Amino acid sequence: MKFTLLTAAVACALTVPASAQFSTRNPVSNYKPRVSVAMPGGSYSAINNYQIDNGISNNSLGLTNGGELVSIHKFTAVGGTDTITKIKAAWGSPAFPGGNVTVGAAVKVFVWSDPNQDGNPVDGVIVTQGAGVVTNVDNDVFDVYTVPAGVVSGIFFVGASVNQIAGEFPSSMDQTTLPGAAVAYVTGNGVAGSYTGAPVTGSIGLFDMVAINFATAWMLRAEGGSATTTYCTAKTNSLGCTPAIGATGASSATALSGFAVTGSNVINNKPGLLLYTDAGQAAVAFQG
């Protein structure tokens, strides 16, 4: 079964109540968003993977009359603050292959902050955004869209829009991992290519998937973790100072500004040595 979202034919409003546009096969169940943290290594950058889905789709959703469909997920930043650098989305579903979305269809991705931290994306402010195309269809393989590094704090939202024609069902759904209310949302525009993300709400309206009895976890993820953390214990030098290492900026190739590693309280007028490794952190004293 594939579900469709009805849009008005001639106006920027829905022709019927939202609750009348959807149906669902599965009951709502509780869930916990899964956030995995992998730590590479002096100051280090953790990789935080934000996901709710279980990696297996069993449905997909589309706009009946075509246009630009936008799926949105709510997440909470690991450690309170994080730097998002990638958005990942799967398209269509192997459960119902064929005719779900066109390879090469235009995609936009967004990261929004939640200014009042109420968990509702209606007032979301764009932190970063990017664009790409659909590459993988009906195979549960996630297309990866790199965005300029965007810093988020507390609750934030991730969205992916895709252009589609009538009769397509592009947004991949995991209806086994069913989120609670105010986690998965849908919006969009009746005209393809016209959605800007500001405001979040498109011309068809903004809907909480649970509130309209259509519970799902989108196959939509984010990757963060470019913020640095200093873990080492410094050793006092011959001048009686305790050296310190630090960093400013985002450690990402897509960052809009540079990433600077700094050292302070070191011996003056002497050569310095900066060591880099991807073999993991080692919080041990240098040379004993």
Side-chain angles (χ1 to χ4, degrees), residues 137-164:
V137 176
D138 296 339
N139 57 11
D140 288 346
V141 175
F142 283 76
D143 287 342
V144 180
Y145 305 97
T146 301
V147 296
V151 177
V152 294
S153 297
I155 296 170
F156 68 98
F157 304 95
V158 169
S161 80
V162 59
N163 290 349
Q164 58 149 119

Side-chain angles (χ1 to χ4, degrees), residues 121-192:
V122 68
D123 59 346
V125 176
I126 294 176
V127 174
T128 187
Q129 59 186 306
V133 298
V134 171
T135 302
N136 290 283
V137 176
D138 296 339
N139 57 11
D140 288 346
V141 175
F142 283 76
D143 287 342
V144 180
Y145 305 97
T146 301
V147 296
V151 177
V152 294
S153 297
I155 296 170
F156 68 98
F157 304 95
V158 169
S161 80
V162 59
N163 290 349
Q164 58 149 119
I165 61 175
E168 290 186 330
F169 305 84
S171 291
S172 184
M173 307 165 72
D174 166 17
Q175 292 191 298
T176 302
T177 307
L178 295 173
V183 175
Y185 295 85
V186 64
T187 187
N189 281 0
V191 178

Side-chain angles (χ1 to χ4, degrees), residues 4-265:
T4 60
L5 174 65
L6 300 177
T7 62
V10 294
C12 296
L14 293 170
T15 57
V16 295
S19 59
Q21 300 178 76
F22 302 97
S23 60
T24 185
R25 297 179 299 179
N26 299 322
V28 176
S29 63
N30 294 327
Y31 84 107
K32 291 184 178 179
R34 296 182 293 173
V35 179
S36 60
V37 181
M39 295 185 178
S43 291
Y44 70 84
S45 295
I47 298 175
N48 301 325
N49 295 309
Y50 296 88
Q51 77 175 80
I52 299 173
D53 68 274
N54 66 5
I56 301 173
S57 69
N58 43 39
N59 220 323
S60 58
L61 181 140
L63 291 166
T64 300
N65 298 323
E68 188 170 1
L69 181 66
V70 186
S71 51
I72 299 173
H73 261 168
K74 179 181 74 176
F75 294 110
T76 301
V78 172
T81 300
D82 203 355
T83 303
I84 305 302
T85 57
K86 294 177 183 176
I87 307 299
K88 305 174 183 180
W91 304 109
S93 176
F96 300 96
N100 284 322
V101 64
T102 304
V103 172
V107 172
K108 300 171 192 167
V109 292
F110 303 88
V111 178
W112 295 277
S113 65
D114 185 1
N116 60 6
Q117 292 291 290
D118 67 347
N120 189 327
V122 68
D123 59 346
V125 176
I126 294 176
V127 174
T128 187
Q129 59 186 306
V133 298
V134 171
T135 302
N136 290 283
V137 176
D138 296 339
N139 57 11
D140 288 346
V141 175
F142 283 76
D143 287 342
V144 180
Y145 305 97
T146 301
V147 296
V151 177
V152 294
S153 297
I155 296 170
F156 68 98
F157 304 95
V158 169
S161 80
V162 59
N163 290 349
Q164 58 149 119
I165 61 175
E168 290 186 330
F169 305 84
S171 291
S172 184
M173 307 165 72
D174 166 17
Q175 292 191 298
T176 302
T177 307
L178 295 173
V183 175
Y185 295 85
V186 64
T187 187
N189 281 0
V191 178
S194 62
Y195 183 78
T196 65
V200 175
T201 304
S203 65
I204 69 169
L206 174 66
F207 307 103
D208 177 346
M209 299 296 280
V210 169
I212 55 177
N213 299 315
F214 203 32
T216 189
W218 297 119
M219 299 279 279
L220 176 65
R221 305 173 180 178
E223 182 177 307
S226 293
T228 57
T229 300
T230 300
Y231 63 83
C232 59
T233 301
K235 184 171 68 173
T236 303
N237 61 31
S238 59
L239 294 179
C241 299
T242 303
I245 189 172
T248 57
S251 55
S252 169
T254 62
L256 298 178
S257 58
F259 178 71
V261 178
T262 60
S264 59
N265 296 331

